[in-house]
Amino acid sequence: MGEAPSCPRCRTDDYLIFEEFVPARQAEHSTDLIPASTSYTCSECGTFNAHAVPASWRPPQWFWYS
Ligand SMILES: [Zn+2]
């Protein structure tokens, strides 16, 4: 399981701009679940980060486009 996003330098999620979010999904030909993941940049210090996140986590103000 991943951790909720936060800037390691600023130690807050206040300035994060989320660039990508992939929900947890089933692996092909397997019962394994691939964890949700996200990538983001901190608008305060410019740090880029990308990693797995908890299954229940969603980016703030995230909207699903269909
Ligand atoms: Zn930062």
Side-chain angles (χ1 to χ4, degrees):
M1 269 307 171
E3 294 178 15
S6 178
C7 177
R9 203 175 296 184
C10 304
R11 300 177 187 281
T12 177
D13 60 0
D14 286 356
Y15 312 116
L16 302 184
I17 297 169
F18 293 96
E19 300 179 1
E20 196 179 10
F21 170 65
V22 183
R25 60 214 180 278
Q26 198 96 31
E28 251 185 283
H29 311 301
S30 167
T31 54
D32 291 351
L33 201 62
I34 301 169
S37 61
T38 190
S39 65
Y40 52 92
T41 303
C42 176
S43 63
E44 181 70 10
C45 67
T47 297
F48 176 82
N49 227 330
H51 57 77
V53 293
S56 59
W57 185 88
R58 296 287 179 278
Q61 282 109 47
W62 184 262
F63 296 105
W64 295 106
Y65 298 99
S66 56

